[in-house]
Amino acid sequence: MSSIQIVYWSQTGNTEAMANAIAEGVKEAGKEAVVLPVSAASAVELASGNVMALGCPAMGAEVLEEGEMEPFVEELETMVSGKNIALFGSYGWGDGQWMRDWEDRMNSAGAKIVGGEGLICMETPDESVLAECRSLGKQLASL
């Protein structure tokens, strides 16, 4: 059984909580999930699968975290054509522009965004957001 990798960057733990809830959904659907901070992930290994999840909160002026996640996404962009990717993350300000920009990048690279758009939440994910994350994990497992 191949596992679904869920790679994230989290500063406060909010995006990490979302990643863990997505993994719960994958497991509830009978598949294996591997949750990795981006610092421990390999873009080449991640791209060897057809289904994956990427999470990052909004940083700065609504951009991806620039030290680890942005370089990882740049590398991954060259390898995601035809892949199913779930995008997720939390934010504390703005209106989600960082996620719309990320969706555009992945769509331009030929990826298929699971659910048609990224899953975002403001600040700490509450139980309803965690339920959405688990549902997203189940969608990933069904692909």
Side-chain angles (χ1 to χ4, degrees):
M1 167 176 26
S2 63
S3 61
I4 296 173
Q5 288 193 38
I6 303 163
V7 175
Y8 71 93
W9 188 91
S10 188
Q11 182 172 15
T12 63
N14 295 338
T15 300
E16 181 178 12
M18 294 175 79
N20 289 326
I22 292 168
E24 288 173 20
V26 169
K27 292 172 186 173
E28 288 171 10
K31 295 261 177 114
E32 183 181 329
V34 176
V35 180
L36 293 169
V38 69
S39 60
S42 158
V44 172
E45 185 177 321
L46 182 63
S48 70
N50 288 320
V51 179
M52 64 195 75
L54 297 170
C56 186
M59 301 296 290
E62 288 208 71
V63 296
L64 296 175
E65 186 278 328
E66 296 174 304
E68 293 178 283
M69 195 64 168
E70 178 60 35
F72 186 84
V73 170
E74 282 179 15
E75 182 181 359
L76 195 60
E77 274 180 296
T78 65
M79 302 178 263
V80 295
S81 184
K83 311 283 183 183
N84 294 290
I85 300 179
L87 301 175
F88 64 96
S90 63
Y91 64 102
W93 61 91
D95 67 356
Q97 186 61 48
W98 104 101
M99 183 58 72
R100 290 189 296 277
D101 292 343
W102 198 6
E103 292 163 2
D104 289 345
R105 286 175 70 180
M106 294 295 100
N107 283 321
S108 293
K112 301 172 197 163
I113 306 296
V114 177
E117 63 185 4
L119 175 58
I120 63 175
C121 77
M122 180 168 257
E123 304 293 347
T124 303
D126 61 16
E127 186 48 46
S128 68
V129 172
L130 295 175
E132 286 183 65
C133 291
R134 287 188 289 273
S135 177
L136 181 58
K138 291 175 185 175
Q139 288 177 5
L140 290 171
S142 73
L143 299 172

